[in-house]
Amino acid sequence: MATATVKPVRLNLVEGEAQAQSPTQRVIKRFVRHRAAMFGLVVLIGVLAYIIVGSFIFTEAQANYNDTSIRLQAPSAEHPFGTDRIGRDILARTIYGGQISLMIGFLAVVVEVGLGTAVGAIAGYYGGWIDAILMRITEAMLSIPSLLLLLVMAKFFAGKFAPIPFFGRTLSGSVIIIILILGLTSWMSLARIVRSNVLSIKETEFVLAAKALGVPNWRIIINHILPNTLASIIVSLTLGVATAILTEAYVSFLGLGVQSPTASWGNMLTEAQEFTVIKNAPWYWFFPSLLILLTVLSINFVGDGLRDAFDPRSDNKV
Amino acid sequence: MKRRLLLVLTLMLALSLVVAPTLAQDRKVVTVSYTQEPLTLNPLYVTQWFATNVIDMLLTPPWFIDDKQQAVPVQVTEIPSVENGGISEDGTVITLKLRDDLKWSDGEPLTSADYVFTYEMIMADGNTVSSRDPWETKVASVTAPDATTVVITFNESFAPWLTALFTASPAMPEHTLRPIFDAEGTLDAAEWNKTVNPGSGSFILNEWETGSFLSLVPNENSFAGTPKLNEVFFRILADDGTSQNAALTTGDADIGVFLTAGDAVELEGAGLVISQVASGYNEGWYLNVNPDTAHPAMLDVNVRKALVMAFNRQQIVDDLLFGKTRVATSYWDGSQYVRPDAKPYDYNPEEAAAMLDAAGWVDSNGDGTRDKDGTELVLRFIASQRQIRKDVQAVVQQAFAEIGVGVETSNYDNFFDTYGEGGPMSTGQYDIGEYSGSSQFPDPNTADFLCSEIPSDENPEGANWIGYCNEELDALFQEQLKTTDPAARVALFQQIDQIIFDEAVWVGVWYDADLWATNARVIDAKYSGADPFWNAVNWDVSS
Amino acid sequence: MGRYIIRRLLQAIPLVLFVSLTIFTLLQATGDPLATMGGRSPTKSEDKARLRRQLGLDKPLLEQYLYWLIGNDWAKFDRDGDGIAEAPGTRYGVLRGDFGTSIVTKRPAMEIIVDRLPNTLLLMVTAEIITLFFALIIGVISAVKQYSIFDNVLSGFSFITFSMPIFLVGFGLLYIFAVKFREWGLPYLPTGGIFDPQEGRSVSQLALHMILPVATITIISVAGYSRYVRSNMLEVINSDYIRTARAKGLTERSILYRHAFKNAALPLATLIGLDLPFLLGGAVVTERIFAWPGTGRLFLDHLELLDYSVLMGLLMLITVAVVIFQLLTDLMYTWLDPRIRYS
């Protein structure tokens, strides 16, 4: 006969209730047990540290300082990651480029999550013809191959945004463009997930009770429904950042992403595309690629861990 | 079952890997790598370089411009001139004398009637031709008094005739195309546009698989001699900087075009022959002197000269272009129209600083940037999105900061848009604009410096984006346009060039000849900037 | 069932129209095809004005969309520029099967697309089959031997390839197997295209040239699919009825293959069904790197030229395919899973 291992429930004799763990604590505990996710978290923190601390060690002026006589030099003591085509230090550029890539990843996901949650929640909650129209629009956008839509939108917005000042740096307008188009082409799947979550929560008792009490709709959505879809949103958000960083690299590769002189990991790879560089200056593409890989990989691990952590059935898996 | 399938597949792959490289046949094939696919092969509809190249091999014009920029007769017996009666005294009538042995690849004779037909097709309303220039505005009539004579009458003497008459639109076969035009009302959808059969070139099109390749084979009925090669194969690759070079290095392609300087260095190391082909292009700074839009400092010629002298162009050529070209001396560098003993301005930042001081631009408020009468010397430096230009902008920004000149850089996708379309250059939203420009190569004529071409609401298509108006220069330009005597024309342009240099309104950055790579096994390939594959009939390969 | 199909198809029509209008507007607003038409020698203004009139680009956007949709042979146009509209149009419109002609090559848009389609399908279908093959193997074994070294290594590897930009994989393979192998005297693979002109066309040439692009696509896709298979398989393995089957004493093998696998495969079938229509769009980046003449490259090239007939043709083809495949997948799902029934 198999003995089931049951977690002992500690009885708090003074208060007379079982001291169970709160849902958040359970989630965190499951996450911590997930080895890959912890590894990912550590690497991610490392990358963030690299970027943040790095920007105190190197000023942006240093990242942009060019000296064509030392162009395409291999890694050395002075330039640990080597120099680029006009003699700028690649280490410094990956730091500032990383700020841009991560910022793009994060903000694009904010757009995605904002749009997706809003559309999904409204469609699911109100139902009827609002739901029908919103869902048809969602399906329509899903029918178009995303990369092709991205390219069309990139061409559409190209050159329409002026450079923007941002915390003392001047960023090319193409940064806004890429954030917009990444967000606008990825909100659809989240909208569907949120909608189905909302549909199932809508009929629960506490929502019906809130309605009966006359709580306004928007309050119900924000205070009651959304918190219960949080799991999907968080997982989506995390994985979305990884996808956004990768997609930025693609779009920059095709020439429509972040434009110089603003550096991003993606457009550093585009600059490195020339055959001469691929053959003779592997450091030019090695370091940005490594950083993209590490960042995206660790985010994927963390996202995977979060997904497992939010899934109560994963308690049974050792 | 799955395992067996896997085994069979692996065996097939292994077999083909071994067999493939050893099956080299003994045919003389030259492979050209193309980074764009020709849009169509009917010359009326396309000006795309990749298309006109192939068309040159399938349809011959009256003459080719060879690699020394000289005209070589092909369909005519001699190049028209005043001496041989080909050009009338007043220059308004040009007569082409065709060879009497011209024929199409299907054996039909090629006559002056085909030339008149081609003119008709250019002017027909049913055809969406890419350009009617100069036929619509400059030509009064095209007639064929007999089978080997074509007479073109102009409204007034037209100097660029050598590069404008039937060179972009060679004679097309009337016997094939007239029935199609009569039936459909247009040649737009004609099958001939994809096959050029019959053609008049030394090659005919064997096969065209879209997106993949074009295959040209010798024309047995060619009046210009039979090619030595068995096939010229155009392989269509991606324009990404790597595929072409990989193909050239491994020998999958023999000829590659439009290389970057870095590619050229690499390929030279791999044993390919690099050629510089003058195509009229020179990378230059266009300095805005339009008083309505330019920074006030730009209106002072000494400031402009100072800016040039603070710009180390040789360093750009050496470091960014790997020494694969040189500093451009003139808008017409690479041709015979350059002023004598042309030399670029020296690089002398100390003197530049002194000149700026003398012009009144000093840093009176200690912020690191010069100023005068309360205006800071901060200039707008714009270019297109090409990487090399962004690199130059970064270098210049830093160099100019060292002598107290501030630079704001911008890059535009719509850089070449006209005034009517709101383009940044044409609307004057800049002080220094850098791009690679050319005259109407191989003709030296250009509209870029004419007073009448300054863009405005009344003239939204104006080409004089620097807003320069100099009456003496204008008069010279008007005169050269009517001068059909080649030597006289050269003299006029040398004067023009001197004025532009002295005024420092256009400054050469680098001589932008096209860089080509040729595999050492290809013999006798001479490339012309105007008609690149003009001597394909002579190409050969060594075994 | 029949009514359900018809209802779905009817619902799809406004969707497809909406997509077509959106993309048409986007494309038109993106820029002017005449601006890039000249290439190195920009089009002169008189010619631009004439071409705009001849190609119908001077009409307002909605009018152009109308002509695209239902043709213009019922309207009159000004052919010779005298300001008087006297000649009827020549297009029949998409609803009558005429996708128009390419602005730049003057050939019918559908002809151009159909020319490239077989190449794309050859590449994508092969890659899809090989991907599925490996994804199933890896996914199932990873799930069965969960957390073993095999699982960890493969999962790690698939995460890595999943996190890499595809062009890195492509260029890497190109560089190593095409350029470097040749340098080192080893048997090498070609750098691009679909055959070597010296050899001529043959099946072996085609197979040879397919190796690298298919490998690139497969490496990236296997990761995603195998994770999906693995998580479905895990879910099924841990479910009650499998536990019951074990308790009943069935062999592990029969449990895995007869019960678990089939049920895990069902969601995968859905995934494949939904992915299939997107194969028509080709692999834009891979086709570019390996110069494969497919629809992905076609799209890129014509996007540069803003040739909206070809772009609209391709996108609408994919959209319609998506709608049809979504319906087919839903129907197949019903057929495979008796618990689901649509009214």
Side-chain angles (χ1 to χ4, degrees), chain B residues 255-307:
Chain B
I255 301 180
V257 304
F258 299 131
L259 310 173
T260 64
D263 296 339
V265 171
E266 201 51 47
L267 294 171
E268 209 166 29
L272 284 108
V273 177
I274 305 291
S275 6
Q276 259 191 335
V277 179
S279 54
Y281 283 88
N282 286 296
E283 178 94 358
W285 275 9
Y286 292 73
L287 301 177
N288 190 1
V289 292
N290 187 332
D292 295 329
T293 55
H295 189 284
M298 299 297 294
L299 304 178
D300 182 348
V301 62
N302 290 317
V303 171
R304 297 198 296 271
K305 287 187 183 165
L307 293 177

Side-chain angles (χ1 to χ4, degrees), chain C residues 3-19:
Chain C
R3 245 190 298 177
Y4 173 70
I5 297 179
I6 295 188
R7 207 170 37 144
R8 280 287 294 266
L9 286 176
L10 282 178
Q11 276 179 345
I13 294 178
L15 185 139
V16 172
L17 281 177
F18 174 73
V19 169

Side-chain angles (χ1 to χ4, degrees), chain A residues 7-58:
Chain A
K7 263 203 246 319
V9 171
R10 242 180 295 135
L11 293 173
N12 190 324
L13 295 168
V14 174
E15 300 196 2
E17 349 175 351
Q19 190 181 48
Q21 294 170 311
S22 78
T24 325
Q25 280 179 306
R26 279 206 294 273
V27 166
I28 295 179
K29 227 177 169 188
R30 281 197 288 258
F31 183 80
V32 168
R33 272 207 320 240
H34 197 291
R35 277 176 298 177
M38 288 309 291
F39 171 72
L41 194 60
V42 166
V43 171
L44 194 56
I45 292 180
V47 171
L48 282 170
Y50 172 75
I51 290 179
I52 297 177
V53 172
S55 59
F56 288 109
I57 301 182
F58 294 92

